Coordinates of all heavy atoms in Angstrom, one line a residue:
M3 N 93.6 81.7 86.2 CA 93.0 83.0 86.3 C 91.8 83.1 85.3 O 92.0 82.8 84.1 CB 94.0 84.1 86.0 CG 93.7 85.5 86.4 SD 95.0 86.6 86.2 CE 96.0 86.3 87.6
P4 N 90.7 83.5 85.7 CA 89.5 83.5 84.8 C 89.6 84.5 83.7 O 90.2 85.6 83.9 CB 88.3 83.8 85.7 CG 88.8 83.8 87.0 CD 90.3 83.9 87.0
L5 N 89.0 84.2 82.6 CA 88.9 85.1 81.5 C 87.5 85.8 81.5 O 86.5 85.2 81.5 CB 89.1 84.3 80.2 CG 89.1 85.1 78.8 CD1 90.3 86.0 78.8 CD2 89.0 84.2 77.6
Y6 N 87.6 87.1 81.5 CA 86.4 87.9 81.5 C 86.2 88.7 80.3 O 87.2 89.1 79.6 CB 86.4 88.9 82.7 CG 86.4 88.2 84.0 CD1 87.5 88.1 84.8 CD2 85.2 87.7 84.5 CE1 87.6 87.5 86.0 CE2 85.2 87.1 85.8 CZ 86.4 87.0 86.5 OH 86.4 86.3 87.7
E7 N 84.9 88.9 79.8 CA 84.6 89.6 78.6 C 84.1 91.0 79.0 O 83.2 91.1 79.8 CB 83.7 88.8 77.8 CG 83.5 89.3 76.4 CD 82.7 88.4 75.5 OE1 81.9 87.6 76.1 OE2 82.8 88.5 74.3
Y8 N 84.5 92.0 78.3 CA 84.1 93.4 78.6 C 83.6 94.0 77.3 O 84.0 93.7 76.2 CB 85.2 94.2 79.2 CG 85.7 93.7 80.5 CD1 86.6 92.7 80.6 CD2 85.3 94.3 81.7 CE1 87.1 92.2 81.8 CE2 85.7 93.8 82.9 CZ 86.6 92.8 83.0 OH 87.1 92.3 84.2
L9 N 82.7 95.0 77.5 CA 82.2 95.7 76.4 C 82.4 97.2 76.6 O 82.1 97.8 77.7 CB 80.7 95.5 76.2 CG 80.0 96.4 75.2 CD1 80.4 95.9 73.7 CD2 78.4 96.2 75.3
C10 N 83.0 97.9 75.6 CA 83.1 99.3 75.7 C 81.9 100.1 75.3 O 81.3 99.8 74.2 CB 84.3 99.7 74.8 SG 84.5 101.5 74.8
R11 N 81.4 100.9 76.1 CA 80.2 101.6 75.8 C 80.4 102.8 74.8 O 79.5 103.2 74.2 CB 79.6 102.2 77.1 CG 78.1 102.6 77.0 CD 77.6 103.2 78.2 NE 76.2 103.6 78.1 CZ 75.6 104.3 79.0 NH1 76.2 104.6 80.1 NH2 74.3 104.6 78.8
D12 N 81.6 103.2 74.7 CA 81.9 104.3 73.8 C 82.1 103.9 72.4 O 81.5 104.4 71.4 CB 83.1 105.0 74.2 CG 82.8 106.0 75.4 OD1 81.7 106.2 75.6 OD2 83.8 106.4 76.1
C13 N 82.8 102.8 72.1 CA 83.1 102.4 70.7 C 82.5 101.0 70.4 O 82.6 100.6 69.3 CB 84.6 102.4 70.5 SG 85.5 101.0 71.3
G14 N 82.0 100.3 71.4 CA 81.4 99.0 71.1 C 82.3 97.8 71.1 O 81.9 96.7 70.8
M15 N 83.6 98.1 71.3 CA 84.6 97.1 71.3 C 84.4 96.0 72.4 O 84.1 96.4 73.5 CB 86.0 97.7 71.5 CG 87.1 96.8 71.6 SD 87.6 96.2 69.9 CE 89.0 95.2 70.3
K16 N 84.4 94.8 72.0 CA 84.4 93.7 73.0 C 85.8 93.2 73.2 O 86.5 93.0 72.2 CB 83.4 92.6 72.5 CG 82.0 92.9 72.7 CD 81.1 91.9 72.1 CE 81.1 90.6 72.9 NZ 80.1 89.6 72.4
F17 N 86.2 93.0 74.4 CA 87.5 92.5 74.6 C 87.5 91.7 75.9 O 86.6 91.7 76.7 CB 88.5 93.7 74.8 CG 88.2 94.7 75.8 CD1 88.8 94.6 77.1 CD2 87.2 95.7 75.6 CE1 88.5 95.5 78.1 CE2 86.9 96.6 76.6 CZ 87.5 96.5 77.9
E18 N 88.6 90.8 75.9 CA 88.7 89.9 77.0 C 89.9 90.2 77.9 O 91.0 90.6 77.3 CB 88.7 88.5 76.5 CG 87.4 88.1 75.8 CD 87.5 86.7 75.1 OE1 88.7 86.3 74.7 OE2 86.5 86.1 74.9
L19 N 89.8 90.0 79.1 CA 90.9 90.2 80.0 C 91.0 89.0 80.9 O 90.0 88.5 81.4 CB 90.8 91.5 80.8 CG 90.9 92.8 80.1 CD1 90.6 93.9 81.1 CD2 92.3 93.0 79.5
L20 N 92.2 88.6 81.2 CA 92.5 87.6 82.3 C 92.7 88.4 83.6 O 93.6 89.2 83.7 CB 93.8 86.8 81.9 CG 93.6 85.7 80.9 CD1 94.9 85.1 80.6 CD2 92.8 84.6 81.5
R21 N 91.9 88.2 84.5 CA 92.0 88.9 85.8 C 91.7 88.0 86.9 O 91.0 86.9 86.8 CB 90.9 90.0 85.8 CG 90.9 90.9 84.6 CD 90.0 92.0 84.8 NE 90.7 93.3 85.1 CZ 90.2 94.5 85.4 NH1 88.9 94.6 85.5 NH2 90.9 95.5 85.6
G22 N 92.1 88.4 88.1 CA 91.8 87.6 89.3 C 90.3 87.9 89.6 O 89.7 88.9 89.2
I23 N 89.7 87.0 90.3 CA 88.3 87.1 90.7 C 88.0 88.4 91.4 O 87.0 89.0 91.2 CB 87.9 85.9 91.5 CG1 87.9 84.6 90.6 CG2 86.5 86.1 92.2 CD1 87.6 83.3 91.4
N24 N 88.9 88.8 92.3 CA 88.7 90.0 93.0 C 88.9 91.3 92.2 O 88.6 92.4 92.6 CB 89.6 90.1 94.3 CG 91.1 90.0 93.9 OD1 91.4 89.8 92.8 ND2 91.9 90.1 94.9
Q25 N 89.3 91.1 90.9 CA 89.5 92.3 90.0 C 88.4 92.3 89.0 O 88.3 93.3 88.2 CB 90.8 92.2 89.3 CG 92.0 92.3 90.2 CD 93.3 92.1 89.4 OE1 93.6 91.1 88.9 NE2 94.0 93.2 89.2
A26 N 87.5 91.3 89.0 CA 86.6 91.2 87.9 C 85.7 92.4 87.6 O 85.4 92.7 86.5 CB 85.7 89.9 88.1
D27 N 85.3 93.0 88.7 CA 84.4 94.1 88.5 C 85.1 95.5 88.6 O 84.4 96.5 88.6 CB 83.3 94.0 89.6 CG 82.3 92.9 89.3 OD1 82.0 92.7 88.2 OD2 81.9 92.2 90.3
E28 N 86.3 95.5 88.6 CA 87.1 96.8 88.5 C 87.0 97.3 87.1 O 86.9 96.5 86.1 CB 88.5 96.6 88.9 CG 88.6 96.3 90.4 CD 90.1 96.1 90.8 OE1 91.0 96.4 90.1 OE2 90.3 95.7 92.0
P29 N 87.0 98.6 86.9 CA 87.0 99.2 85.6 C 88.1 98.7 84.8 O 89.3 98.6 85.2 CB 87.1 100.7 85.8 CG 86.7 100.9 87.3 CD 87.1 99.6 88.0
A30 N 87.8 98.4 83.5 CA 88.8 97.9 82.6 C 88.9 98.8 81.4 O 87.9 98.9 80.7 CB 88.4 96.5 82.1
P31 N 90.0 99.5 81.2 CA 90.0 100.3 80.0 C 89.9 99.6 78.7 O 90.4 98.5 78.5 CB 91.4 101.0 80.2 CG 92.2 100.1 81.1 CD 91.2 99.4 81.9
C32 N 89.2 100.2 77.8 CA 89.0 99.7 76.4 C 90.3 99.5 75.7 O 91.1 100.4 75.8 CB 88.1 100.6 75.6 SG 87.8 100.0 73.9
T33 N 90.5 98.3 75.1 CA 91.7 98.1 74.4 C 91.8 98.8 73.1 O 92.9 99.0 72.5 CB 91.9 96.6 74.1 OG1 90.7 96.1 73.4 CG2 92.0 95.8 75.4
Q34 N 90.7 99.3 72.6 CA 90.7 100.1 71.3 C 90.8 101.6 71.5 O 91.6 102.2 70.8 CB 89.4 99.7 70.6 CG 89.3 100.4 69.2 CD 88.3 99.7 68.3 OE1 88.6 98.8 67.5 NE2 87.1 100.2 68.5
C35 N 89.9 102.1 72.4 CA 89.9 103.6 72.5 C 90.3 104.1 73.9 O 90.5 105.3 74.1 CB 88.5 104.1 72.2 SG 87.3 103.7 73.5
G36 N 90.5 103.1 74.8 CA 91.1 103.6 76.1 C 90.0 104.1 77.0 O 90.3 104.5 78.2
S37 N 88.7 104.0 76.6 CA 87.7 104.5 77.4 C 87.5 103.7 78.7 O 87.8 102.4 78.7 CB 86.3 104.5 76.7 OG 85.3 104.7 77.6
H38 N 87.1 104.3 79.8 CA 86.8 103.5 81.0 C 85.4 103.2 81.2 O 84.9 102.7 82.2 CB 87.4 104.3 82.2 CG 88.9 104.2 82.3 ND1 89.5 103.4 83.2 CD2 89.8 104.8 81.6 CE1 90.9 103.5 83.0 NE2 91.1 104.4 82.1
R39 N 84.6 103.6 80.2 CA 83.1 103.4 80.2 C 82.9 102.0 79.7 O 82.3 101.8 78.7 CB 82.4 104.4 79.4 CG 82.5 105.8 80.0 CD 81.8 106.8 79.1 NE 80.4 106.6 79.1 CZ 79.6 107.0 78.1 NH1 80.1 107.6 77.0 NH2 78.3 106.8 78.2
T40 N 83.4 101.0 80.4 CA 83.2 99.6 80.0 C 82.5 98.8 81.1 O 82.5 99.2 82.3 CB 84.6 99.0 79.8 OG1 85.4 99.1 80.9 CG2 85.3 99.7 78.6
G41 N 82.0 97.7 80.7 CA 81.3 96.8 81.7 C 81.6 95.4 81.4 O 81.8 95.1 80.2
R42 N 81.6 94.6 82.4 CA 81.8 93.2 82.2 C 80.6 92.5 81.7 O 79.5 92.7 82.2 CB 82.2 92.6 83.5 CG 82.6 91.1 83.4 CD 83.5 90.6 84.5 NE 82.9 90.7 85.8 CZ 82.2 89.7 86.4 NH1 82.1 88.5 85.7 NH2 81.7 89.8 87.5
L43 N 80.7 91.7 80.7 CA 79.7 91.0 80.1 C 79.5 89.6 80.8 O 80.5 89.0 81.2 CB 79.9 90.7 78.6 CG 80.0 91.9 77.7 CD1 80.2 91.5 76.3 CD2 78.7 92.7 77.8
I44 N 78.2 89.2 80.9 CA 78.0 87.8 81.3 C 77.6 87.1 80.0 O 76.5 87.2 79.5 CB 76.9 87.8 82.4 CG1 77.3 88.6 83.6 CG2 76.6 86.3 82.7 CD1 76.2 88.8 84.6
S45 N 78.5 86.4 79.4 CA 78.5 86.1 78.0 C 77.2 85.3 77.7 O 76.6 85.5 76.6 CB 79.7 85.2 77.7 OG 80.8 85.9 77.9
L46 N 76.8 84.4 78.5 CA 75.6 83.5 78.2 C 74.3 84.3 78.0 O 73.4 83.9 77.3 CB 75.5 82.5 79.2 CG 76.5 81.3 79.2 CD1 76.2 80.3 80.3 CD2 76.5 80.6 77.9
F47 N 74.2 85.5 78.6 CA 72.9 86.1 78.6 C 72.9 87.5 77.9 O 71.9 88.0 77.5 CB 72.5 86.4 80.1 CG 72.3 85.1 80.8 CD1 73.3 84.6 81.7 CD2 71.2 84.3 80.6 CE1 73.1 83.5 82.4 CE2 71.0 83.1 81.3 CZ 72.0 82.7 82.2
A48 N 74.1 88.0 77.7 CA 74.2 89.3 77.2 C 73.9 89.2 75.6 O 74.4 88.3 74.9 CB 75.5 90.0 77.4
A49 N 73.2 90.2 75.1 CA 73.0 90.3 73.7 C 73.4 91.7 73.2 O 72.9 92.6 73.8 CB 71.5 90.0 73.3
V50 N 74.2 91.8 72.3 CA 74.8 93.1 71.9 C 74.4 93.3 70.4 O 74.7 92.4 69.6 CB 76.3 93.1 72.1 CG1 76.8 94.4 71.7 CG2 76.6 92.8 73.6
S51 N 73.9 94.5 70.1 CA 73.6 94.8 68.8 C 74.0 96.2 68.5 O 73.7 97.1 69.2 CB 72.0 94.7 68.5 OG 71.7 95.2 67.3
D52 N 74.9 96.4 67.4 CA 75.4 97.6 67.1 C 76.1 98.3 68.3 O 76.1 99.5 68.5 CB 74.3 98.6 66.5 CG 73.8 98.0 65.2 OD1 74.6 97.4 64.5 OD2 72.6 98.2 65.0
G53 N 76.7 97.5 69.1 CA 77.5 98.0 70.2 C 76.7 98.4 71.4 O 77.2 98.9 72.4
K54 N 75.3 98.1 71.3 CA 74.5 98.5 72.4 C 74.0 97.2 73.1 O 73.6 96.2 72.3 CB 73.3 99.3 72.0 CG 73.8 100.7 71.5 CD 72.6 101.5 71.1 CE 73.1 102.9 70.6 NZ 72.0 103.7 70.0
I55 N 73.9 97.2 74.3 CA 73.4 96.0 75.0 C 71.9 96.0 75.0 O 71.2 97.0 75.4 CB 73.9 96.0 76.5 CG1 75.4 95.9 76.4 CG2 73.3 94.8 77.2 CD1 76.0 96.1 77.8
V56 N 71.2 95.0 74.4 CA 69.8 95.1 74.2 C 69.0 94.1 75.0 O 67.9 94.2 75.1 CB 69.5 94.8 72.7 CG1 70.0 95.9 71.8 CG2 70.0 93.5 72.2
A57 N 69.7 93.2 75.6 CA 69.0 92.2 76.4 C 69.9 91.5 77.4 O 71.1 91.5 77.3 CB 68.4 91.1 75.5
G58 N 69.3 91.0 78.5 CA 70.0 90.2 79.4 C 70.7 91.1 80.5 O 70.8 92.3 80.3
P59 N 71.2 90.4 81.5 CA 71.9 91.2 82.5 C 73.2 91.7 81.9 O 73.9 91.1 81.2 CB 72.2 90.1 83.6 CG 72.0 88.8 82.9 CD 71.1 89.0 81.8
T60 N 73.5 93.0 82.2 CA 74.6 93.6 81.6 C 75.5 94.3 82.6 O 75.1 94.5 83.8 CB 74.1 94.7 80.6 OG1 73.3 95.6 81.3 CG2 73.3 94.0 79.5
G61 N 76.6 94.7 82.2 CA 77.5 95.4 83.1 C 78.0 94.5 84.2 O 78.3 93.4 84.1
C62 N 78.1 95.2 85.4 CA 78.7 94.5 86.5 C 77.7 93.6 87.2 O 76.5 93.6 87.0 CB 79.3 95.5 87.4 SG 78.1 96.5 88.3
T63 N 78.2 92.9 88.1 CA 77.3 91.9 88.8 C 76.3 92.6 89.8 O 75.4 91.9 90.3 CB 78.1 90.9 89.6 OG1 79.0 91.6 90.5 CG2 78.9 90.0 88.7
T64 N 76.5 93.9 90.1 CA 75.6 94.6 90.9 C 74.5 95.3 90.2 O 73.6 95.9 90.7 CB 76.3 95.6 91.8 OG1 77.0 96.5 91.0 CG2 77.3 94.9 92.7
C65 N 74.6 95.2 88.8 CA 73.5 95.8 88.0 C 72.2 94.9 88.2 O 72.2 93.7 87.9 CB 73.8 95.7 86.5 SG 75.1 96.9 86.1
S66 N 71.2 95.5 88.7 CA 70.0 94.7 88.9 C 68.8 95.4 88.3 O 67.7 94.8 88.2 CB 69.7 94.4 90.4 OG 69.7 95.6 91.1
S67 N 68.9 96.7 88.0 CA 67.7 97.4 87.4 C 68.3 98.3 86.4 O 69.0 98.0 85.6 CB 67.0 98.1 88.5 OG 67.9 99.1 89.1
H68 N 67.7 99.6 86.3 CA 68.1 100.5 85.3 C 69.3 101.3 85.6 O 69.8 102.0 84.7 CB 66.8 101.3 84.9 CG 65.7 100.5 84.4 ND1 65.8 99.8 83.2 CD2 64.5 100.3 84.9 CE1 64.6 99.2 83.0 NE2 63.8 99.5 84.0
T69 N 69.7 101.3 86.8 CA 70.8 102.1 87.1 C 71.8 101.3 88.0 O 71.4 100.5 88.7 CB 70.4 103.4 87.9 OG1 69.8 102.9 89.2 CG2 69.5 104.2 87.2
C70 N 73.0 101.6 87.7 CA 74.1 100.9 88.5 C 75.2 101.9 88.7 O 75.9 102.3 87.8 CB 74.6 99.7 87.8 SG 76.0 98.9 88.7
A71 N 75.4 102.3 89.9 CA 76.5 103.2 90.2 C 77.8 102.5 90.1 O 78.9 103.2 90.0 CB 76.3 103.8 91.6
G72 N 77.8 101.2 90.1 CA 79.1 100.5 90.0 C 79.8 100.6 88.7 O 81.0 100.8 88.6
C73 N 79.0 100.4 87.6 CA 79.7 100.4 86.3 C 79.2 101.4 85.4 O 79.8 101.7 84.3 CB 79.5 99.0 85.6 SG 77.8 98.7 85.1
G74 N 78.0 102.1 85.6 CA 77.5 103.2 84.8 C 77.0 102.7 83.4 O 76.7 103.5 82.6
L75 N 76.8 101.4 83.3 CA 76.3 100.9 82.0 C 74.9 101.3 81.7 O 74.4 101.4 80.6 CB 76.5 99.4 81.9 CG 77.7 98.9 81.2 CD1 77.6 97.4 81.0 CD2 77.9 99.6 79.8
H76 N 74.1 101.5 82.8 CA 72.7 101.8 82.6 C 72.5 103.3 82.8 O 73.2 103.9 83.5 CB 71.8 101.0 83.5 CG 72.0 99.6 83.3 ND1 71.4 98.8 82.3 CD2 72.6 98.6 84.1 CE1 71.8 97.6 82.4 NE2 72.4 97.4 83.5
G77 N 71.4 103.8 82.2 CA 71.0 105.2 82.4 C 72.0 106.2 81.8 O 72.1 107.2 82.2
Ligands
ZN122 ZN1 86.3 101.7 73.3

């Protein structure tokens, strides 16, 4: 089962979850604050500073521009 990395948009917590591939883009509650405003990181490209994503593809795999209804990480 693959290990996925997630970032909480509320508290900046990064956490990892073992999930099935078909669950990878489902919302993952933050392990620290319980927020559901989290997004999956693509580790090789994401750059995080002070809990904010500053570069690279972020959020879910359907994020392609400034807005993504899938994960809400943008906008
Ligand atoms: Zn959190």
Side-chain angles (χ1 to χ4, degrees):
M3 195 174 283
L5 182 67
Y6 295 103
E7 192 173 19
Y8 296 83
L9 173 70
C10 176
R11 197 181 179 189
D12 283 344
C13 73
M15 178 76 176
K16 283 173 71 173
F17 58 98
E18 295 173 335
L19 290 177
L20 281 170
R21 311 186 103 182
I23 288 174
N24 59 354
Q25 295 177 293
D27 289 320
E28 292 180 8
C32 175
T33 56
Q34 180 165 267
C35 73
S37 171
H38 285 256
R39 296 176 67 204
T40 58
R42 184 159 62 93
L43 296 178
I44 301 172
S45 303
L46 285 179
F47 299 102
V50 179
S51 175
D52 295 329
K54 295 179 180 173
I55 299 168
V56 295
T60 58
C62 68
T63 54
T64 59
C65 290
S66 58
S67 62
H68 295 294
T69 59
C70 177
C73 72
L75 263 189
H76 301 287

